[in-house]
Amino acid sequence: MFKPVLIEPSIYCQLDIVQFKSSCAACSLRELCLPVGLNEDEVKKLDIVSQKRKITRGGYLHHAGAKFQSLYAIRSGFLKTCVLEQDGRHQVTGFHMTGELLGLDAISTDVHTCDAIALEDSEVCEIPFAKLEEISRTIPSLMRHFHKIMSREIVRDHGVMLLLGSMKAEERLASFLLNLSRRFHLRGYSEYNFNLRMTREEIGSYLGLKLETVSRAFSKFQDEEIITVDNKHIQIKDIARLRMKLSNSDVS
Amino acid sequence: MFKPVLIEPSIYCQLDIVQFKSSCAACSLRELCLPVGLNEDEVKKLDIVSQKRKITRGGYLHHAGAKFQSLYAIRSGFLKTCVLEQDGRHQVTGFHMTGELLGLDAISTDVHTCDAIALEDSEVCEIPFAKLEEISRTIPSLMRHFHKIMSREIVRDHGVMLLLGSMKAEERLASFLLNLSRRFHLRGYSEYNFNLRMTREEIGSYLGLKLETVSRAFSKFQDEEIITVDNKHIQIKDIARLRMKLSNSDVS
DNA sequence: CGTTGCATTGAGGAAAATCAAGTTGAGTGG
DNA sequence: CCACTCAACTTGATTTTCCTCAATGCAACG
């Protein structure tokens, strides 16, 4: 089922065996998570740092308000992050998968500003931030890479702001599906067939819509034969028309 | 009119005189822009870096798509940043004032992802990013401070996402006004009286509303005697009730 | 086999967008 | 100083979109 694109299957199998010995050198996510071009010594420095941790479905990786110690690189699984306001308002700010880095928001105040919750059994590398900063002083390419990751998060957030501020319901859902499709594809899964890990309500929260609106939009896309929806399973039948949903608002 | 809170007026006047000699040591924004606790030698290292630049009202600090070289610290003035999509969709992602840092989004791809436009005559310090990274390797507190600034931007964006995803028009406008009020206050201006630098349309774009909706919400707040609006001039008459607009939706 | 959580669908209503006049105010030039 | 222009703003009427409320379906699970 798992088909890594970046490495040989044999290497991946080997990984499976050593999976409780933390090792960046052998990690299948090296290309996602670390800058290319580190030499062996540099990679070894990192090995000291990280430690693995498992979170079962529904479990918290961290709570909003918790003291910040570490960033988390997702090794496998699927998580959501949500911000909460004192008045009970809350919102999913992102869905996160293999190779992505969580906890960047907490650097600013040394306190996590969001909950991170596993939507399926997941495994993360815990990276103590103080150590990462220390090591990155001696490895400029690592520092640069880290800055790019933070910046990418800012760019991503701006994209979501654009979505929330100027798209209609169907455009939002199309954008969401295309984004998921691309990210699954990057990780070696089918870009046309995948299972949603989140509920309609969580999708709605992320997209600034109510769950009924999400459901209706799914049904509409299905009627139009752009996708098929079977509960959590999505098949994209006509990705070109799904992309068209983004740019124009003309409906037959 | 200008009443800096963090430094003595005399120091500020002195600054006015030397304003074309770039000097972080003498800058009135030191506390905003630099980590506290740098010694003189460390501050001098920074002086090499930055160079001033003026942008007149309506002018671009940078265009989306431009090659990224430098971050910009705002010394004075007021700017907006907007993202644009290929399909013509565009959105204001932020309004920025004295002491804030622009260009963080561009680190990820070495290309600016948004336009930055001056809404009044402004002055910025140009900080070549490569040099900043280099210096921050030798000054850990500077590196830490920079990471906190990036992280703060992520937290800010999450706040905007929450606003766009789950607030009604009046709540958004109230949130916007309170945010401006706080930021003016921090910079030594009145928290109850200020002039908007942006149009209703720009406010609307930022808040995910049409300009007419913004205008109506202003009028409503005025009818309720929470604020007075005279074109661009805003007076907050009852900040408590403005804050209430955020938390509850009950209207008399 | 009832309970529970999630999803779908319909009907009605509220919020904001859109469309359409007007108004105001700053800048321009006679 | 006045007329003119233009952009920004306000306000009202109408339409669209999405939310809310409610009923129902459906699969998983003790």
Side-chain angles (χ1 to χ4, degrees):
Chain A
M1 179 113 180
F2 186 98
K3 292 179 292 175
V5 276
L6 300 172
I7 55 164
E8 297 295 310
S10 61
I11 298 181
Y12 179 72
C13 291
Q14 180 194 333
L15 244 181
D16 241 11
I17 297 163
V18 298
Q19 75 176 354
F20 287 102
K21 249 181 53 190
S22 195
S23 163
C24 290
C27 180
S28 64
L29 305 174
R30 256 188 80 167
E31 277 81 3
L32 283 170
C33 176
L34 295 177
V36 281
L38 290 194
N39 64 38
E40 278 202 19
D41 281 351
E42 288 171 336
V43 174
K44 270 185 192 149
K45 281 191 194 169
L46 285 169
D47 278 351
I48 316 164
V49 166
S50 61
Q51 197 178 6
K52 289 211 198 114
R53 193 170 136 194
K54 289 191 166 193
I55 309 104
T56 53
R57 185 187 145 110
Y60 282 75
L61 174 59
H62 58 71
H63 287 263
K67 175 107 178 71
F68 169 63
Q69 300 279 0
S70 301
L71 299 174
Y72 301 96
I74 305 173
R75 279 184 62 81
S76 65
F78 202 97
L79 297 96
K80 68 170 177 178
T81 46
C82 349
V83 292
L84 350 142
E85 292 284 283
Q86 53 280 25
D87 58 354
R89 218 190 292 271
H90 71 110
Q91 176 151 351
V92 174
T93 51
F95 298 108
H96 309 276
M97 46 210 277
T98 305
E100 294 176 354
L101 202 59
L102 294 182
L104 298 174
D105 56 285
I107 296 167
S108 82
T109 57
D110 283 328
V111 167
H112 285 282
T113 65
C114 62
D115 289 337
I117 300 168
L119 296 179
E120 63 181 36
D121 292 357
S122 302
E123 208 185 351
V124 300
C125 280
E126 185 172 343
I127 305 168
F129 181 61
K131 288 190 185 170
L132 177 67
E133 275 194 325
E134 199 185 311
I135 293 170
S136 75
R137 282 205 290 139
T138 67
I139 312 177
S141 66
L142 177 65
M143 181 166 84
R144 166 58 60 102
H145 188 70
F146 176 62
H147 291 161
K148 281 182 190 287
I149 287 173
M150 290 207 91
S151 175
R152 196 188 307 149
E153 176 66 16
I154 292 171
V155 173
R156 186 189 76 83
D157 290 346
H158 288 176
V160 177
M161 285 163 62
L162 188 74
L163 176 146
L164 291 170
S166 70
M167 288 188 186
K168 294 199 207 297
E170 288 182 28
E171 296 171 326
R172 295 184 199 192
L173 189 67
S175 171
F176 172 73
L177 289 173
L178 289 167
N179 177 271
L180 274 188
S181 165
R182 190 177 53 73
R183 286 157 73 198
F184 280 125
H185 190 48
L186 274 172
R187 284 159 182 80
Y189 297 100
S190 167
E191 89 190 273
Y192 302 118
N193 277 282
F194 46 85
N195 286 301
L196 301 173
R197 269 72 170 184
M198 71 295 282
T199 66
R200 302 289 189 267
E201 186 169 17
E202 286 163 335
I203 296 172
S205 174
Y206 180 62
L207 298 178
L209 302 168
K210 292 294 158 184
L211 68 95
E212 295 95 329
T213 306
V214 173
S215 182
R216 278 184 247 271
F218 271 129
S219 300
K220 177 112 185 298
F221 287 174
Q222 179 154 253
D223 289 350
E224 294 174 333
E225 305 201 309
I226 295 172
I227 63 174
T228 57
V229 185
D230 178 14
N231 223 336
K232 305 258 186 192
H233 183 260
I234 301 291
Q235 179 182 11
I236 299 177
K237 293 170 73 176
D238 190 341
I239 203 164
R241 280 205 294 149
L242 191 56
R243 291 207 181 95
M244 296 234 307
K245 287 279 172 188
L246 284 184
S247 40
N248 58 49
S249 310
D250 63 350
V251 188
S252 61
Chain B
M1 180 114 181
F2 187 98
K3 291 179 293 177
V5 276
L6 300 171
I7 55 162
E8 296 296 310
S10 61
I11 298 180
Y12 180 71
C13 292
Q14 181 194 333
L15 244 182
D16 242 11
I17 297 164
V18 299
Q19 75 176 355
F20 288 102
K21 249 179 58 190
S22 194
S23 163
C24 290
C27 180
S28 64
L29 305 173
R30 257 189 80 168
E31 276 82 4
L32 284 169
C33 176
L34 296 177
V36 280
L38 291 194
N39 63 38
E40 278 202 18
D41 281 352
E42 288 171 337
V43 173
K44 269 184 192 148
K45 280 190 195 169
L46 285 169
D47 277 352
I48 315 164
V49 166
S50 61
Q51 196 178 7
K52 289 209 199 118
R53 193 169 136 196
K54 288 192 165 192
I55 310 103
T56 53
R57 186 187 143 109
Y60 282 74
L61 174 59
H62 58 69
H63 288 264
K67 176 109 179 67
F68 168 63
Q69 299 280 359
S70 300
L71 299 174
Y72 300 97
I74 305 174
R75 280 184 62 80
S76 66
F78 202 97
L79 298 94
K80 69 169 176 180
T81 45
C82 349
V83 292
L84 350 142
E85 291 284 284
Q86 53 280 23
D87 58 355
R89 219 190 292 271
H90 71 110
Q91 177 150 350
V92 173
T93 52
F95 297 108
H96 309 278
M97 46 211 275
T98 305
E100 295 176 353
L101 202 59
L102 295 182
L104 297 173
D105 56 284
I107 296 168
S108 82
T109 56
D110 283 328
V111 168
H112 285 283
T113 64
C114 62
D115 289 336
I117 300 168
L119 296 179
E120 63 181 35
D121 291 357
S122 302
E123 207 184 353
V124 300
C125 281
E126 185 172 342
I127 306 169
F129 182 62
K131 287 191 185 168
L132 178 67
E133 276 194 325
E134 199 185 311
I135 292 171
S136 76
R137 282 205 289 139
T138 67
I139 312 178
S141 65
L142 178 65
M143 182 165 84
R144 167 58 59 102
H145 188 70
F146 176 63
H147 291 161
K148 280 182 189 289
I149 287 174
M150 289 207 92
S151 175
R152 196 186 308 149
E153 176 66 17
I154 292 170
V155 173
R156 187 189 75 83
D157 290 346
H158 288 175
V160 177
M161 285 163 62
L162 189 74
L163 176 145
L164 291 171
S166 70
M167 289 187 186
K168 295 199 204 296
E170 287 182 30
E171 296 172 326
R172 296 183 197 191
L173 189 66
S175 171
F176 172 73
L177 289 173
L178 290 167
N179 177 270
L180 274 188
S181 165
R182 190 177 53 74
R183 286 157 73 199
F184 280 125
H185 189 50
L186 275 173
R187 284 159 182 80
Y189 297 99
S190 167
E191 90 191 271
Y192 302 118
N193 277 280
F194 47 84
N195 285 301
L196 301 173
R197 269 72 170 182
M198 70 296 281
T199 65
R200 301 289 189 267
E201 187 169 17
E202 286 163 335
I203 296 172
S205 173
Y206 180 62
L207 297 178
L209 302 169
K210 292 294 159 183
L211 68 96
E212 294 96 327
T213 307
V214 173
S215 180
R216 277 184 246 271
F218 270 130
S219 300
K220 177 112 185 298
F221 287 173
Q222 179 155 253
D223 289 349
E224 294 174 332
E225 305 200 312
I226 294 172
I227 63 174
T228 57
V229 185
D230 178 15
N231 222 336
K232 305 259 186 192
H233 183 259
I234 301 291
Q235 179 182 11
I236 299 177
K237 293 169 74 177
D238 191 340
I239 202 164
R241 279 206 293 149
L242 191 56
R243 291 208 181 94
M244 296 234 308
K245 287 279 172 188
L246 284 184
S247 40
N248 59 48
S249 310
D250 63 349
V251 188
S252 62

